[in-house]
């Protein structure tokens, strides 16, 4: 019997060490088990232990566990073999159960389970098991520490990793290369690159694994240039360069191209490594090929990337996706689509990464419909993919679509992140949707993101633009860190809501804390000066613009032109306009409109005609400006010609504002037959502004018949507006039809329509002061004077007047 047991043991050992394939034959394992049973040796612990090991290696873990459970007297080796079989089958519950039932555990038992758990979906559990092992007084081996350090890196448990490092020093394993490399991996994955560098510099003989781990950590932390220098040191040190290390350094080159490192230098280094790949014969390695592809793609060398792709002996879906992304990054959307089609023709089906990359390419070229088509092909978009599409809609100012897409995202239970909330807050701000903005605010609190500067900036902007400046300021005051974007949001919100003194105070604080205002800061302040019609403050801001070098910024320049024009100072507006080296359409429009609004219609037309001789093409706002100039200057024929040229020469469909300007020009000139013809063919018959303009012209020319028609339309469209009642009454009064005038006033009274009071204000040395006028139709009587007879008026700088309707 002893001889038979020895023979069977030899057979089992031969099967275990069989070299005919990657694992022993299952048929041989079952045959060996049958011979053991036939020989009556089912209780032989040594033979069954070998059989459990054979079943495990053969890919039959269930048979291994059955054989173990049938063993009457299992020993430590039996348990270890069974635990190994369970771990090999990824049955961690059974492995942990067996470990708990062992009468006596050793380091091998713990190592086997801890290693398997560290590689599982719950690596943090490995840390708890490691604590249990230490509590039993079992000294960890280098295998234990390597597994636990891997788990620490995966879950970013830096403190636990440092404790492991300390224990490694205590038990004398800190010089073990296996442990050292595991420590390097842990520190780099936890983002503690400084600790990794210190450890690496203290290593006696780092190998290719050490160099590769260190290069990867440096590249991930943004120190791509240090990673590249380390590769040069690796080559000089005579350490073997393998495909993994080459892939790592190529990744560093790709990171360098995307960062602040010299792109030219990164490409040259990448090309040198490419030459090394060819010399070492690594070109057939698909991972190396993909790394080369990625490096060239991120360095914007897509032609080189295509050459690498075509030279690869075999490609994967990853290769195709890298190439598609590369073309998308350089804005070659059509080429990216071509590669996508070629990929499908080659038998590769696009996956979610493919569609996500294509979506990003579409957004880059601002093709939102195509991006949406790609998005709809993704079964479960990630939050990053949602954010990309949301940003695309927001960027194109499709804010309603942005909000609707956000609603769909919520219905699919995708949790938003800081980017999502910031984009939605931007859309809420632009549309003035306060209630949704409040809901997003609540979501940010629930997600603990309300203090994130990106989100907080969005909240400040949303509340300030929606008129809740107080709420915006509360959030602003709570922020521990503020950037210039946040300050701009506050300044803009205050300026928009005419809180001009507060806006100037914030602007002053920006400079006092040493933060440089941006073009947005200056534009907001200049617009505030324009609203106040305050030339002195405007000149101060202009001087600061010159000092800070924003005088050639078209955004700021356009605001300055608008400010000078609204303050009636067209000479300075013209001076600055001529001074601008680069003018966009906004600057041209502001200048033309400034002339028009200040009664210089001929100059408005002259500037418009000069603009047409340049490379600048007019837009719909340009035509509003020049038509306004024609109207104010009585250039009716010119207005008709410009209006007719809009669609025929420039493809611009006239809007209601263009019709209003044309009708105003004709009405002022008394050409009412032409006015009626224009009104008959225009598509905006229910717009009250058109009828108000017509009614005002009828007042000037005492046209009661057409005036009555215009007034009736206004009574229907805007019954609470006092202007049509006042204007129609004035027409009747001018014609001596006092009975009809009284009837209109009675109708106005019966409907509860009240004429708003006009008001005026002056800039005084004590600040701006306003006074009201009496509410009598057609008459303005000052109710209160600003100064007494003996009051000092030397502090008065300007007088302004505003009236709520043309009485």
């Amino acid at each position: 019997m002893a001889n038979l047991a020895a023979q069977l043991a030899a057979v089992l050992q031969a099967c275990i060490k069989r070299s005919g394939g990657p694992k022993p034959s299952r048929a041989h394992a079952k045959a060996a088990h049958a011979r053991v049973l036939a020989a009556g040796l089912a209780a032989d612990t040594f033979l069954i232990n070998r059989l459990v090991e054979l079943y495990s290696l053969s890919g039959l873990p269930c048979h291994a566990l059955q054989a173990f459970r049938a063993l009457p007297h299992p020993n430590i080796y039996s348990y270890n073999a069974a635990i190994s079989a369970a771990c090999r089958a990824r049955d961690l519950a059974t492995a942990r159960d067996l470990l708990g039932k062992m009468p006596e555990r050793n380091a091998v038992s713990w190592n086997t389970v801890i290693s398997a758990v560290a590689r599982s979906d719950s690596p943090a559990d490995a840390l708890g098991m490691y604590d249990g092992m230490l509590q039993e007084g079992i000294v960890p081996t280098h295998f234990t520490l390597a597994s636990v350090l891997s788990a620490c890196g995966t879950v970013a448990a830096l403190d636990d990793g440092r404790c492991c490092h300390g224990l490694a020093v205590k038990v004398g394993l800190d010089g073990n290369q296996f442990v050292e490399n595991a420590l390097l991996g842990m520190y780099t994955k936890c983002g503690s690159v400084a600790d990794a560098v210190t450890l690496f510099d203290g290593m006696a003989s780092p190998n290719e694994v050490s160099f590769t781990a260190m290069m990867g950590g440096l590249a991930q932390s943004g120190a791509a240039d240090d990673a590249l220098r380390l590769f040069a040191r690796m080559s000089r040190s005579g350490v073997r360069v393998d495909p993994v290390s080459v892939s790592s350094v190529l990744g560093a080159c790709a990171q360098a191209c995307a960062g602040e490192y010299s792109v030219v230098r990164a490409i040259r280094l990448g090309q040198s490594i490419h030459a090394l790949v060819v010399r070492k014969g690594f070109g057939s390695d698909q991972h190396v090929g993909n790394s080369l592809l990625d490096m060239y793609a991120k360095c914007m060398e897509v032609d080189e990337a295509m050459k690498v792709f075509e030279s690869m002996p075999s490609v994967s879906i990853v290769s195709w996706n890298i190439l598609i992304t590369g073309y998308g990054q350089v804005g070659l959307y059509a080429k990216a689509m071509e590669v996508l089609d070629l990929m499908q023709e080659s038998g590769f089906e696009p996956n979610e990464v493919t569609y996500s990359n294509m979506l990003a390419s579409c957004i880059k070229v601002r093709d939102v419909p195509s991006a949406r088509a790609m998005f709809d092909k993704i079964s479960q978009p990630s939050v990053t993919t949602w954010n990309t599409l949301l940003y695309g809609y927001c960027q194109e100012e499709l804010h309603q679509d942005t909000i609707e897409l956000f609603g769909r995202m919520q219905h699919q239970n995708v949790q938003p992140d800081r980017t999502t909330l910031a984009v939605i807050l931007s859309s809420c701000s632009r549309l003035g949707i306060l209630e949704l903005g409040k809901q997003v605010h609540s979501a940010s609190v629930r997600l603990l993101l309300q203090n994130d500067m990106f989100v907080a900036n969005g909240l400040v902007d949303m509340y300030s633009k929606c008129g809740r400046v107080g709420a915006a300021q509360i959030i602003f005051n709570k922020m521990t860190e503020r950037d210039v974007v946040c300050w701009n949001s506050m300044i803009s919100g205050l300026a928009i809501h005419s809180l001009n003194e507060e806006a100037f105070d914030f602007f002053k604080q920006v400079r006092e804390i040493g933060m440089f205002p941006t073009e947005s800061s200056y534009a907001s302040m200049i617009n505030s000066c324009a609203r106040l019609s305050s030339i002195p403050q405007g000149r101060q801001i202009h001087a600061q613009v010159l000092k800070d070098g924003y005088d050639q910024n078209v955004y700021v320049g356009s605001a300055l032109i608008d400010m000078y024009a609204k303050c009636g100072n067209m000479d300075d507006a013209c001076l600055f306009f001529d001074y601008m080296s680069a003018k966009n359409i906004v600057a041209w429009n502001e200048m033309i409109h400034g002339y028009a609004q200040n009664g210089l219609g001929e100059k408005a037309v002259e500037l418009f005609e000069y603009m047409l001789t340049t490379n600048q093409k007019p837009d719909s706002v340009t035509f509003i400006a020049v038509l306004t100039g024609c109207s104010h200057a009585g250039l009716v024929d010119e207005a008709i010609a410009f209006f007719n040229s809009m669609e025929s020469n420039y493809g611009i469909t006239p809007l209601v504002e263009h019709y209003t300007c044309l009708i105003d020009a004709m009405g002022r000139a008394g050409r009412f037959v032409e006015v009626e013809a224009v009104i008959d063919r225009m598509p905006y018959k229910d717009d009250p502004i058109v009828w108000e303009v017509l009614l005002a012209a009828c007042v000037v020319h005492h046209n009661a018949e057409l005036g009555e028609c215009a007034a009736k339309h206004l009574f229907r469209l805007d019954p609470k507006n006092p202007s049509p009642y006042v204007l129609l009454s004035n027409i009747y009064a001018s014609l001596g039809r006092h009975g009809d005038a009284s009837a209109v006033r009675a109708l106005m009274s019966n409907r509860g329509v009240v004429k708003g009071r006009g008001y005026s204000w002056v800039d005084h040395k004590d600040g701006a002061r306003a006074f009201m006028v009496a509410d009598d139709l057609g008459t303005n009587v000052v109710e209160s004077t600003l100064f007494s007879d003996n009051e000092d008026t030397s502090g008065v700088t300007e007088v302004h007047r505003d009236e709520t309707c043309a009485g």
Side-chain angles (χ1 to χ4, degrees), residues 57-86:
L57 293 172
S58 302
L60 294 171
C62 292
H63 289 69
L65 293 172
Q66 285 173 4
F68 166 78
R69 291 186 178 112
L71 191 61
H73 304 293
N75 57 17
I76 290 178
Y77 190 88
S78 310
Y79 272 97
N80 284 343
I83 288 171
S84 179

Side-chain angles (χ1 to χ4, degrees), residues 700-728:
V700 174
H701 294 280
H702 313 296
N703 188 330
E705 183 180 353
L706 199 54
E708 287 171 356
C709 176
K712 286 177 182 177
H713 279 287
L714 287 168
F715 294 159
R716 173 178 61 84
L717 295 170
D718 193 5
K720 293 297 182 180
N721 182 2
S723 181
Y725 298 93
V726 174
L727 293 174
L728 184 60

Side-chain angles (χ1 to χ4, degrees), residues 568-628:
N569 191 334
M570 287 309 299
D571 289 339
D572 281 350
C574 184
L575 256 167
F576 187 77
F577 179 78
D578 291 339
Y579 168 73
M580 290 176 71
S581 58
K583 306 175 181 71
N584 64 359
I585 188 61
V586 177
W588 285 97
N589 290 348
E590 293 291 2
M591 196 64 207
I592 294 168
H593 193 257
Y595 279 133
Q597 288 295 332
N598 283 278
L600 303 169
E602 293 89 348
K603 286 196 173 184
V605 171
E606 182 182 332
L607 185 61
F608 172 73
E609 289 177 338
Y610 173 71
M611 187 190 82
L612 296 181
T613 66
T614 68
N615 292 326
Q616 186 65 63
K617 299 297 180 186
D619 61 9
S620 61
V621 178
T622 317
F623 279 101
I624 293 172
V626 74
L627 289 171
T628 300

Side-chain angles (χ1 to χ4, degrees), residues 430 465 488 492 496 518-527 545 550-563 576 580 582-587 590:
R430 299 299 178 273
K465 295 290 196 311
N488 284 347
S492 175
I496 286 171
T518 66
E519 64 268 20
S520 178
S521 316
Y522 280 118
S524 294
M525 296 316 303
I526 294 164
N527 289 335
V545 164
Y550 283 108
D551 50 310
Q552 289 302 323
N553 181 284
V554 291
Y555 187 50
V556 175
S558 300
L560 279 168
I561 293 167
D562 178 58
M563 182 272 294
F576 187 77
M580 290 176 71
K583 306 175 181 71
N584 64 359
I585 188 61
V586 177
E590 293 291 2

Side-chain angles (χ1 to χ4, degrees), residues 286-400:
Q286 193 177 86
H287 188 58
V288 172
N290 287 341
S291 298
L292 276 169
L293 265 178
D294 187 55
M295 183 272 295
Y296 280 123
K298 285 184 175 159
C299 291
M300 307 298 180
E301 295 286 335
V302 286
D303 291 338
E304 291 300 317
M306 177 57 89
K307 289 177 184 177
V308 171
F309 181 84
E310 291 173 341
S311 69
M312 290 172 67
S314 64
V315 295
S316 64
I317 187 70
V318 174
S319 316
W320 286 101
N321 285 343
I322 292 171
L323 194 59
I324 289 169
T325 305
Y327 280 114
Q329 284 175 336
V330 296
L332 297 174
Y333 170 65
K335 186 64 177 177
M337 281 296 299
E338 185 182 318
V339 174
L340 176 61
D341 292 339
L342 185 60
M343 181 182 93
Q344 291 173 295
E345 290 172 9
S346 301
F348 288 89
E349 283 302 314
N351 58 14
E352 296 200 358
V353 175
T354 315
Y355 290 127
S356 295
N357 291 344
M358 284 301 303
L359 187 155
S361 300
C362 295
I363 295 300
K364 193 174 184 71
V365 296
R366 309 188 79 144
D367 184 357
V368 174
S370 295
R372 184 57 183 266
M374 292 296 166
F375 179 84
D376 290 338
K377 292 179 181 180
I378 304 172
S379 57
Q380 290 184 315
S382 66
V383 66
T384 302
T385 305
W386 282 98
N387 289 345
T388 303
L389 187 59
L390 285 167
Y391 173 75
Y393 277 121
C394 189
Q395 180 182 235
E396 294 302 303
E397 298 190 9
L398 300 169
H399 298 296
Q400 194 60 50

